[in-house]
Amino acid sequence: MSLDLLTAVTIFVLSLLVGVEVISKVPATLHTPLMSGANSIHGVVLVGAMAIAATAHDTLGYVLAFFAVAFGAMNVVGGYVVTDRMLHMFRGSRKQG
């Protein structure tokens, strides 16, 4: 295994661990507002995944790029769906007059 790949895998694993640790400390009542505020960050992640995908030159690179873009897109769409549901909760029922 090359040093570059080992470094990339190490950074990936450490980022997973830090992410899980940070998210586990957030109270459940704040998850939805944080999701809505983080949609722009997810968009940046998706753009970064597409930029990295453009530099892929082998099968492993293409597969990893595909999964990065797919998971990034799911994250963006999921964030907007959750935000939309949250906003519907605050609208309340409208009376028909």
Side-chain angles (χ1 to χ4, degrees):
M1 201 168 0
S2 72
L3 187 59
D4 290 337
L5 181 59
L6 183 62
T7 302
V9 170
T10 303
I11 291 171
F12 178 72
V13 170
L14 289 174
S15 67
L16 282 175
L17 294 173
V18 168
V20 167
E21 187 65 26
V22 168
I23 293 299
S24 68
K25 303 294 185 213
V26 175
T29 56
L30 292 179
H31 277 285
T32 303
L34 287 175
M35 177 67 83
S36 91
N39 281 333
S40 61
I41 296 170
H42 300 298
V44 170
V45 169
L46 182 59
V47 170
M50 289 188 290
I52 295 298
T55 63
H57 297 296
D58 58 349
T59 305
L60 178 63
Y62 290 131
V63 170
L64 290 175
F66 171 78
F67 282 114
V69 171
F71 285 135
M74 285 189 285
N75 212 357
V76 169
V77 171
Y80 282 108
V81 168
V82 168
T83 301
D84 187 53
R85 289 183 70 183
M86 179 186 70
L87 292 174
H88 281 291
M89 288 184 345
F90 291 110
R91 285 189 191 139
S93 62
R94 295 185 180 170
K95 296 180 181 179
Q96 300 287 335

